[in-house]
Amino acid sequence: FLTDWINRTLKEEHIVVKSLEEDLFDGLVLHHLLENLGSLKLDVDKIALTEKKQRQKLSVIMEAVAKCLQLEENQLKWSVESILTKDLLSTLHLLVAIAKHFEPNLALPPNVQVETITIETTSRGLKTENAVEYITEKKENIEAQSKDDAFDELFNCAPDKLDAVKKAFLQFVNQHVGKLGLNVKDITSQFSDGVILLLLIGQLEGYFLNLRNFFLTPASTTEMV
């Protein structure tokens, strides 16, 4: 997916990527990608032939990426050395971060994961540790995720089915505030003072709202605000 995306993006520049490990480590493709996607003008040579030049070029590129993505050094899942040594995991993390930032609507497949094995030499021999690392966004349940958008579907039905939308919201609200002995019949009027809204938020988020912090029965606009 990422290889095809890079090749589509850089098609006019006649750059063709066949291997993410072999074609990105020297910074040439990353340089063109950032210039194309973010119109970034990097103060580096287009082609770096020596390892020293490649390392310098990658340093400039990594700094520009971190600045664009507003990431601190401890948040980066890649480094100059890991990209230079053709570490595929780091390269994937870097490309996914660039893609999500510059093309947020790109349909990256979710739940892409790899199993990593860390091997450490100890006085007793080799110690191995297995872990699962996510490359793309982790979604616990994609089906549940689509159900979360049910209200969006209701809004798409409006205005011809506005009553159905109101009824759905009333059922949702009363399902939660009903536990407090409250009953909402009219969304417009009963939500205008903010009291039901505050109590609903408290029920949904599972915490107690201190009644001293707001007026339970506001008598003026000021108290509602």
Side-chain angles (χ1 to χ4, degrees):
F1 183 96
L2 289 168
T3 303
D4 290 343
W5 169 66
I6 292 170
N7 288 334
R8 281 198 313 273
T9 306
L10 302 180
K11 186 178 180 179
E12 291 185 6
E13 298 183 46
H14 307 292
I15 290 176
V16 178
V17 171
K18 294 181 179 179
S19 165
L20 295 181
E21 298 102 303
E22 296 297 330
D23 296 340
L24 272 78
F25 79 95
D26 61 358
L28 174 67
V29 174
L30 289 170
H31 187 178
H32 280 273
L33 196 60
L34 289 173
E35 282 195 338
N36 192 290
L37 292 170
S39 300
L40 298 178
K41 297 299 177 186
L42 303 177
D43 188 21
V44 288
D45 296 331
K46 286 287 183 184
I47 299 175
L49 296 175
T50 66
E51 186 178 319
K52 182 181 179 181
K53 289 283 187 181
Q54 289 167 356
R55 184 176 275 104
Q56 288 175 344
K57 180 168 184 167
L58 282 172
S59 295
V60 174
I61 291 171
M62 296 301 109
E63 189 177 332
V65 170
K67 190 175 180 180
C68 278
L69 274 56
Q70 297 183 327
L71 294 173
E72 299 294 332
E73 192 172 342
N74 60 356
Q75 294 176 294
L76 302 179
K77 294 181 180 180
W78 57 84
S79 66
V80 170
E81 290 303 319
S82 64
I83 300 298
L84 194 60
T85 54
K86 306 179 184 180
D87 182 271
L88 179 59
L89 197 56
S90 295
T91 305
L92 288 172
H93 278 307
L94 174 62
L95 289 174
V96 168
I98 291 172
K100 284 174 67 178
H101 178 77
F102 290 107
E103 293 195 17
N105 294 325
L106 199 66
L108 282 166
N111 295 326
V112 178
Q113 62 187 56
V114 293
E115 185 177 359
T116 60
I117 304 171
T118 306
I119 302 173
E120 183 184 352
T121 305
T122 67
S123 57
R124 295 181 179 181
L126 293 178
K127 176 185 175 184
T128 62
E129 186 177 330
N130 291 37
V132 172
E133 190 161 340
Y134 278 84
I135 305 295
T136 60
E137 188 178 4
K138 181 181 177 182
K139 291 183 179 178
E140 294 290 343
N141 188 329
I142 295 175
E143 288 182 13
Q145 189 76 16
S146 63
K147 289 177 183 176
D148 290 342
D149 298 329
F151 285 118
D152 289 334
E153 292 178 20
L154 284 173
F155 278 125
N156 289 334
C157 294
D160 55 318
K161 293 188 178 179
L162 186 59
D163 287 339
V165 175
K166 284 183 176 180
K167 186 177 179 182
F169 274 120
L170 276 174
Q171 288 175 344
F172 167 74
V173 171
N174 285 322
Q175 179 186 347
H176 295 284
V177 298
K179 299 168 187 175
L180 301 173
L182 300 170
N183 182 44
V184 177
K185 293 181 179 178
D186 187 291
I187 286 181
T188 308
S189 62
Q190 288 183 265
F191 267 82
S192 63
D193 61 10
V195 175
I196 296 292
L197 184 60
L198 281 170
L199 296 174
L200 176 63
I201 291 169
Q203 285 295 301
L204 291 173
E205 293 295 323
Y207 56 74
F208 174 74
L209 283 159
N210 192 331
L211 300 183
R212 293 180 182 176
N213 290 345
F214 64 99
F215 296 91
L216 200 56
T217 53
S220 66
T221 304
T222 304
E223 291 181 357
M224 291 180 191
V225 172

